[in-house]
């Protein structure tokens, strides 16, 4: 490395450090002045902001799909307690979707009535063939729900692909 290059690196580093400090302090001053709707907003403004930031159905569906995959493979590997845990997580997420997106609640309730009772019973039997039948019904009910809600192009496989899970082999 020549002398000019050797001098440029420390000068460039110092310039970047000082520039970052100026921008950083400018940001902090601005951030301190920004009103926080959670503190300064009226109850109506706070509610409106919360409604705006509440995740939609598309936020939870990939998580539900992941739980579906994990549940299936947990059952296939005789990890029934883990499969049961996934069912409970899916039920909670479905509740969140029904609460956050009330227009979807009717479809979700149909889905719940047609799926979770049989699925819970199938897990309790710890018999993969019975469980696999309940999973097939769940897959079919997923598609029926997607169709009711106008998303028939979002398909669910009869046999889910194996998820990335450190719990499963």
């Amino acid at each position: 490395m020549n002398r000019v290059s050797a001098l440029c690196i420390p000068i460039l580093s110092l310039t970047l450090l000082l520039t970052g400090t100026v921008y950083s302090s400018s940001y902090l001053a601005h951030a301190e002045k920004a009103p926080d709707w959670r503190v300064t907003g009226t109850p109506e403004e706070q509610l409106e902001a919360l409604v705006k930031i509440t995740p939609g159905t598309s936020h939870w569906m990939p998580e539900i799909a992941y739980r579906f995959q994990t549940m299936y493979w947990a059952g296939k590997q005789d990890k029934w307690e883990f499969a049961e845990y996934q069912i409970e997580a899916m039920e909670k997420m479905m509740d969140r979707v029904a609460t956050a997106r009330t227009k979807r609640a009717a479809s979700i309730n149909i889905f719940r009535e047609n799926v979770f009772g049989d699925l819970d019973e199938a897990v309790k039997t710890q018999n993969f063939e019975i469980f696999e039948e309940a999973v097939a019904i769940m897959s079919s009910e997923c598609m029926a729900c997607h169709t009711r809600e106008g998303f028939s192009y979002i398909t669910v496989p009869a046999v889910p692909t194996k998820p990335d899970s450190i719990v499963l082999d």
Side-chain angles (χ1 to χ4, degrees), residues 50-60 92-105 108 112:
L50 286 171
V51 168
K52 283 182 183 177
I53 65 170
T54 299
T57 308
S58 63
H59 172 82
W60 285 296
K92 287 178 185 175
M93 283 182 256
M94 293 288 201
D95 288 342
R96 285 188 196 119
V97 174
T99 300
R101 297 295 177 247
T102 54
K103 70 179 184 178
R104 306 236 190 268
I108 290 168
R112 282 194 278 216

Side-chain angles (χ1 to χ4, degrees), residues 123-167:
V123 168
K124 287 178 183 155
T125 68
Q126 297 190 359
N127 179 312
F128 184 72
E129 291 170 1
I130 294 170
F131 174 72
E132 197 169 32
E133 289 174 20
V135 169
I137 290 169
M138 181 176 184
S139 177
S140 175
E141 288 296 325
C142 287
M143 290 306 306
C145 186
H146 292 172
T147 300
R148 278 191 303 275
E149 294 297 323
F151 297 97
S152 58
Y153 54 89
I154 301 175
T155 59
V156 177
V159 176
T161 57
K162 190 171 179 189
D164 288 332
S165 174
I166 58 173
V167 176

Side-chain angles (χ1 to χ4, degrees), residues 11-143:
I11 292 170
L12 181 59
S13 296
L14 182 60
T15 302
L16 290 173
L17 176 66
L18 292 174
T19 304
T21 302
V22 169
Y23 284 122
S24 175
S25 64
S26 172
Y27 168 77
L28 291 175
H30 171 72
E32 289 173 1
K33 293 178 187 174
D36 185 343
W37 60 268
R38 297 168 299 174
V39 177
T40 61
T42 65
E44 293 80 18
E45 291 168 334
Q46 291 171 343
L47 179 60
E48 184 180 333
L50 286 171
V51 168
K52 283 182 183 177
I53 65 170
T54 299
T57 308
S58 63
H59 172 82
W60 285 296
M61 283 297 127
E63 178 71 17
I64 292 169
Y66 175 78
R67 300 289 182 159
F68 174 66
Q69 288 177 296
T70 304
M71 175 205 63
Y72 174 82
W73 286 95
K76 189 161 180 72
Q77 295 177 19
D78 289 324
K79 295 182 178 181
W80 297 108
E81 207 172 333
F82 193 51
E84 186 175 9
Y85 171 75
Q86 300 307 319
I87 294 167
E88 291 168 5
M90 283 187 284
E91 287 181 288
K92 287 178 185 175
M93 283 182 256
M94 293 288 201
D95 288 342
R96 285 188 196 119
V97 174
T99 300
R101 297 295 177 247
T102 54
K103 70 179 184 178
R104 306 236 190 268
S107 287
I108 290 168
N109 288 335
I110 293 168
F111 178 87
R112 282 194 278 216
E113 289 170 13
N114 293 337
V115 171
F116 288 122
D118 291 340
L119 199 55
D120 287 334
E121 287 302 314
V123 168
K124 287 178 183 155
T125 68
Q126 297 190 359
N127 179 312
F128 184 72
E129 291 170 1
I130 294 170
F131 174 72
E132 197 169 32
E133 289 174 20
V135 169
I137 290 169
M138 181 176 184
S139 177
S140 175
E141 288 296 325
C142 287
M143 290 306 306

